[in-house]
Amino acid sequence: MARERQLSLSRRSLIGGAAATAGAVALTGTAAGTAAAATRDVDVAIVGGGLAGLTTARDLVAAGRTVAVLEARNRVGGRVVNLALANGGVTEGGGEFIGPTQDRIKALADSLGVATFTTYNTGKNLLYKDGKKTPYATDGLLGSVPPIDVAGLANAAIVQASLDDMAKQVPVGAPWTAPKAAEWDKQTFESWLNANAIVPSAKFLLDVATTSIFSAQPRELSLLFVLFYIAAAGNESTPGTLERLTDTANGAQESRFVGGSQQVPIKLAATLGDRVVLSAPVRSITKSGAKYVVTADGVTVTAKKVVVAVPPPLAGRITFDPLLPAARDQLGQRLPMGSIGKAIAVYDTPFWRADGLNGQVVSDTGAVRSTFDNSPPDASYGALMGFIEADEMREFDAASVADVKAAVLKDYATYFGDKAKAPTSFVLQRWDNEGFTRGGPVAYAPPGVLTEYGTALRTPVDGIHWAGTETSTYWNGYMDGAVRSGERAAKEVLAAL
């Protein structure tokens, strides 16, 4: 089989990649401060201090405009956050990976002096299926495709090729205008897979790929949305492919940031200084004459224009006066967040490497069904990161940290042996339970949403503009999409001022 027709399974960049909204731990290294009782008058008020909002602010300030960035949490970064470890290191609790064609996040990181390093990918992956553990190489004929049966591999390759071909027919700027948009948007991805992934092992691969990319089950997703997401996994000169979404080498999980991905928004916020106001959740946006009054906890901002850079379902919790158009409000009601958590166990060394393993697992069971080696570039300690996603995350949303830890370490021991049972520390990030995110990595579209309400996604409402990774035409749901959306929103606002 040709390499491009192989289905490869790895893990996406957000939470793997998404990144655009309000944040969660303490901000360090910036001049931003918590909100004090104050009133500000600026050209543009920006709601959300993630990568989208901060990028919007950067470009507006560079053009000579005044801005205020109102961030709900006491840190910047949105779905991008570093978690402190007991040994003094950091790990990523949210978006962490970048890869080929993610040009805008790379350019931003370069401009801020944040370096990247290659995700550890030396050695064999593990497939755990039907109670059997199978190590497999990723540099042979099949690439990173798990070693399932021949019939399953053939079927999976046909399915992947079909999805890529269908995705080429979807305009990334307006997927609802695709020739078969109505047909594709009326069915779930699950129903399409049931008709096309007819070999059980092939269906297994596609199901794992789906939860890994969207943190949602195939039954929850519109086929049109999935095809758009594949089309968006590229740039203006390179078409998107499913393989680019799932691969580590040459894919969306290829590289990580030195010092953790939150270094990017932290350093970007530092360039904006006290224009960034933390602990200031926005409660209302009111039109008053020719201006808008944006009311947040502890601060009120008067502005000519507003950029809302939070996920659509969270934007819908803000009170707007006058009311938003019905289509925009209905859109926000219909785009749920995926369900995801990240569990990182820390060890004295990355002991799995000595066993010839790269720390990457694809599994059909357990709380954690995909893992990565999250160790630092110098391997001064070991870190195993596991994704808890979709149905599995929902099962643990109300569980204690101790119960989640026990389930995760049981899975790690199944995959990597008894040494995995005794980490030196353990950290858990449950995005479903974060008040200013409520899931991740992205707000996804169930059937019927894009064709009925998609045109409202980026359309300004008078002087209110929309940013956030969900509004990006390329790398929607990833850090790169967040940066792209901020750049686009800034251009819109500058043209309108």
Side-chain angles (χ1 to χ4, degrees), residues 22-86:
V25 244
L27 167 77
T28 57
T30 83
T34 55
T39 300
R40 299 191 184 194
D41 187 20
V42 296
D43 292 324
V44 184
I46 299 167
V47 181
L51 284 169
L54 295 173
T55 299
T56 305
R58 175 202 65 180
D59 289 0
L60 292 173
V61 169
R65 299 295 182 171
T66 56
V67 305
V69 180
L70 301 174
E71 167 53 45
R73 299 184 192 171
N74 63 351
R75 67 150 177 103
V76 295
R79 284 164 272 181
V80 177
V81 59
N82 286 352
L83 303 177
L85 299 176

Side-chain angles (χ1 to χ4, degrees), residues 4 90-91 124 263 271 294 302 307-308 337 402 426 430 454 461 496:
E4 61 271 18
V90 297
T91 193
K124 293 183 177 181
Q263 285 293 306
T271 70
V294 181
T302 303
V307 175
V308 178
M337 302 295 287
F426 179 88
R430 286 188 280 193
V461 177

Side-chain angles (χ1 to χ4, degrees), residues 145-233:
V145 184
I148 58 172
D149 57 277
V150 174
L153 288 172
N155 188 202
I158 292 170
V159 169
Q160 176 173 320
S162 297
L163 290 169
D164 286 347
D165 288 343
M166 294 160 67
K168 291 174 183 175
Q169 304 173 47
V170 178
V172 293
W176 46 88
T177 66
K180 295 185 178 180
E183 174 186 339
W184 291 340
D185 203 32
K186 69 172 61 173
Q187 62 182 300
T188 65
F189 189 40
E190 174 82 8
S191 64
W192 187 88
L193 285 177
N194 286 341
N196 291 274
I198 56 177
V199 179
S201 56
K203 180 64 161 53
F204 157 72
L205 291 185
L206 272 299
D207 284 347
V208 173
T210 302
T211 54
S212 294
I213 293 168
F214 301 101
S215 298
Q217 302 294 148
R219 66 176 184 270
E220 300 176 283
L221 302 163
S222 158
L223 173 61
L224 178 62
F225 179 72
V226 171
L227 296 174
F228 156 69
Y229 219 74
I230 294 170

Side-chain angles (χ1 to χ4, degrees), residues 8-28:
S8 48
L9 283 168
S10 212
R11 213 312 181 177
R12 67 168 266 114
S13 161
L14 184 181
I15 57 182
T21 61
V25 244
L27 167 77
T28 57

Side-chain angles (χ1 to χ4, degrees), residues 349-374:
T349 64
F351 60 85
W352 50 92
R353 297 183 183 182
D355 296 329
L357 302 175
N358 61 20
Q360 296 175 42
V361 170
V362 173
S363 176
D364 66 350
T365 190
V368 170
R369 303 192 179 192
S370 61
T371 68
F372 274 89
D373 183 328
N374 250 42

Side-chain angles (χ1 to χ4, degrees), residues 12 213 230 233 241-247 252-253 475 478:
R12 67 168 266 114
I213 293 168
I230 294 170
T241 65
L242 179 59
E243 185 175 42
R244 192 173 297 116
L245 285 169
T246 58
D247 262 359
Q253 287 69 236
W475 287 110
Y478 290 74

